[in-house]
């Protein structure tokens, strides 16, 4: 019996316009009204997830943020807060700054987002996420806190180069592209699967109690972990082949379609 729904955000719960469809909003309301648990599982920071439910006038849900590095219940209890080792954070930021000029770098510490300057790429991220950024020298930030995630927006060619070279230089960090022009850096142990396991344990649930929805390669660990896994219609073929079921696209309200089909809502 299903007791919790897990959903990626971008490309899954949100449509291409970065807003939920009316049917996805209705699906979430029906899930919560039925007393089921729900959690967003995303690379986003908490403050870029909360606006989704706030704008729908729905209760805040549990979140698995930074792809598993930060896990929080619906009542804001922090269950997990995995940081990048401080020396590694300092060294990789110094390497980025010394070797690549045309990049836009952010660091995320818990529920706070920092950048050293606001440019067009950061403005785009503000618009997409709905979160507030603080402008502060990274050395000063690291003197007070340690990041869960370092995030870079840059040109596609630069992003590929950074992924390869920094990945080789920092083998105990997870240096991966979440899109062709987006680079994410977290502790090596972080994955959506580990974050989900922590949340399920807190609720006293097992993977058999869950349905997971995802659309892209950074959802791989989640879709492998949850037996009842569903790929969106806009997913690459490799992700569709990995999941136990395939539904309509994010723009066609695939979560609603699937949950309606199995009579869960």
């Amino acid at each position: 019996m299903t007791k919790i729904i897990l959903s990626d955000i971008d490309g899954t719960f949100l449509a291409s316009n970065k807003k939920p469809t009316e049917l996805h909003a209705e699906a979430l309301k029906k899930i919560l009204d039925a007393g089921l648990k729900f959690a967003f599982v995303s690379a986003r920071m908490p403050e870029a997830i909360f606006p989704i439910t706030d704008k729908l006038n729905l209760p805040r849900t549990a979140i698995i943020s930074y792809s598993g590095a930060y896990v929080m219940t619906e009542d804001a209890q922090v269950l997990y807060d995995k940081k990048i080792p401080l020396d590694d954070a300092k060294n990789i930021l110094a390497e980025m700054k010394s070797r690549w000029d045309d990049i836009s770098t952010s660091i995320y510490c818990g529920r706070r987002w920092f950048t050293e300057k606001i440019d067009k790429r950061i403005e785009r991220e503000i618009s997409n996420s709905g979160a507030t950024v603080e402008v502060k020298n990274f050395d000063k930030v690291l003197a007070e806190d340690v990041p869960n995630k370092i995030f870079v927006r840059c040109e596609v060619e630069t992003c590929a180069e950074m992924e390869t070279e920094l990945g080789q230089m920092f083998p105990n960090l997870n240096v991966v592209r979440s899109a062709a022009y987006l680079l994410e850096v977290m502790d090596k142990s972080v994955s959506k699967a580990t974050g989900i396991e922590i949340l399920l344990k807190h609720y006293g649930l097992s993977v058999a109690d869950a349905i997971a929805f995802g659309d892209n390669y950074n959802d791989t660990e989640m879709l492998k972990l949850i037996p009842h896994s569903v790929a969106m219609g806009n997913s690459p073929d490799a992700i569709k082949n990995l999941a136990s079921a395939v539904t309509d696209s994010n723009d066609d309200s695939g979560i609603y379609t699937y949950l309606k089909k199995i009579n869960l809502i």
Side-chain angles (χ1 to χ4, degrees):
M1 180 179 176
T2 302
K3 297 178 181 178
I4 186 169
I5 308 296
L6 305 162
S7 177
D8 173 55
I9 294 178
D10 297 286
T12 301
F13 187 79
L14 298 185
S16 300
N17 63 3
K18 298 298 181 182
K19 297 178 181 179
T21 64
E22 288 186 10
L23 288 178
H24 272 179
E26 182 181 339
L28 180 52
K29 184 177 187 303
K30 287 185 174 182
I31 289 166
L32 298 176
D33 285 348
L36 298 174
K37 297 289 187 183
F38 183 94
F40 284 116
V41 187
S42 174
R44 291 183 174 217
M45 70 180 298
E47 265 59 28
I49 298 175
F50 294 143
I52 297 170
T53 45
D54 291 350
K55 289 176 182 177
L56 296 174
N57 294 313
L58 292 174
R60 291 184 174 182
T61 71
I63 61 168
I64 297 169
S65 190
Y66 306 130
S67 298
Y70 195 82
V71 182
M72 184 188 296
T73 66
E74 61 270 33
D75 55 0
Q77 178 186 354
V78 178
L79 302 178
Y80 190 64
D81 184 6
K82 184 65 175 178
K83 305 286 193 180
I84 296 170
L86 179 58
D87 285 346
D88 284 332
K90 289 180 177 179
N91 291 337
I92 198 168
L93 285 167
E95 197 69 29
M96 289 174 176
K97 184 174 285 189
S98 68
R99 296 184 57 190
W100 292 282
D101 294 325
D102 187 25
I103 64 174
S104 303
T105 307
S106 298
I107 61 178
Y108 295 89
C109 305
R111 297 176 65 173
R112 300 176 73 184
W113 169 23
F114 300 95
T115 190
E116 292 190 317
K117 65 177 182 178
I118 295 180
D119 58 18
K120 290 183 178 179
R121 294 188 184 113
I122 298 294
E123 288 175 349
R124 191 177 305 119
E125 187 67 20
I126 293 169
S127 176
N128 287 343
S129 69
T132 301
V133 65
E134 301 175 51
V135 180
K136 191 171 182 177
N137 178 272
F138 286 162
D139 289 338
K140 292 182 178 179
V141 175
L142 295 180
E144 301 170 1
D145 204 347
V146 185
N148 300 91
K149 182 175 85 166
I150 298 169
F151 182 63
V152 178
R153 279 182 171 267
C154 56
E155 296 303 311
V156 171
E157 185 176 307
T158 302
C159 199
E161 181 180 294
M162 292 179 75
E163 180 185 39
T164 299
E165 297 186 14
L166 293 175
Q168 292 172 352
M169 292 178 66
F170 297 90
N172 60 327
L173 295 180
N174 194 10
V175 183
V176 294
R177 283 179 290 171
S178 54
Y181 54 92
L182 302 177
L183 186 77
E184 305 201 3
V185 180
M186 290 162 289
D187 185 81
K188 194 74 169 181
S189 65
V190 168
S191 78
K192 289 189 175 184
T194 57
I196 289 168
E197 287 172 335
I198 288 164
L199 186 66
L200 292 178
K201 183 178 179 180
H202 171 75
Y203 287 140
L205 301 176
S206 73
V207 294
D209 297 316
I211 300 176
F213 291 89
D215 76 296
N216 221 320
Y217 295 105
N218 61 346
D219 296 315
T220 297
E221 292 87 353
M222 173 174 70
L223 298 177
K224 284 182 176 179
L225 176 71
I226 304 300
H228 196 162
S229 58
V230 186
M232 306 301 289
N234 49 291
S235 303
D237 287 343
I239 300 302
K240 291 178 181 177
N241 293 336
L242 178 67
S244 64
V246 178
T247 186
D248 294 336
S249 74
N250 57 328
D251 290 330
D252 293 322
S253 308
I255 295 175
Y256 178 92
T257 304
Y258 188 79
L259 295 179
K260 192 76 172 176
K261 177 182 177 181
I262 64 171
N263 297 315
L264 196 65
I265 59 173

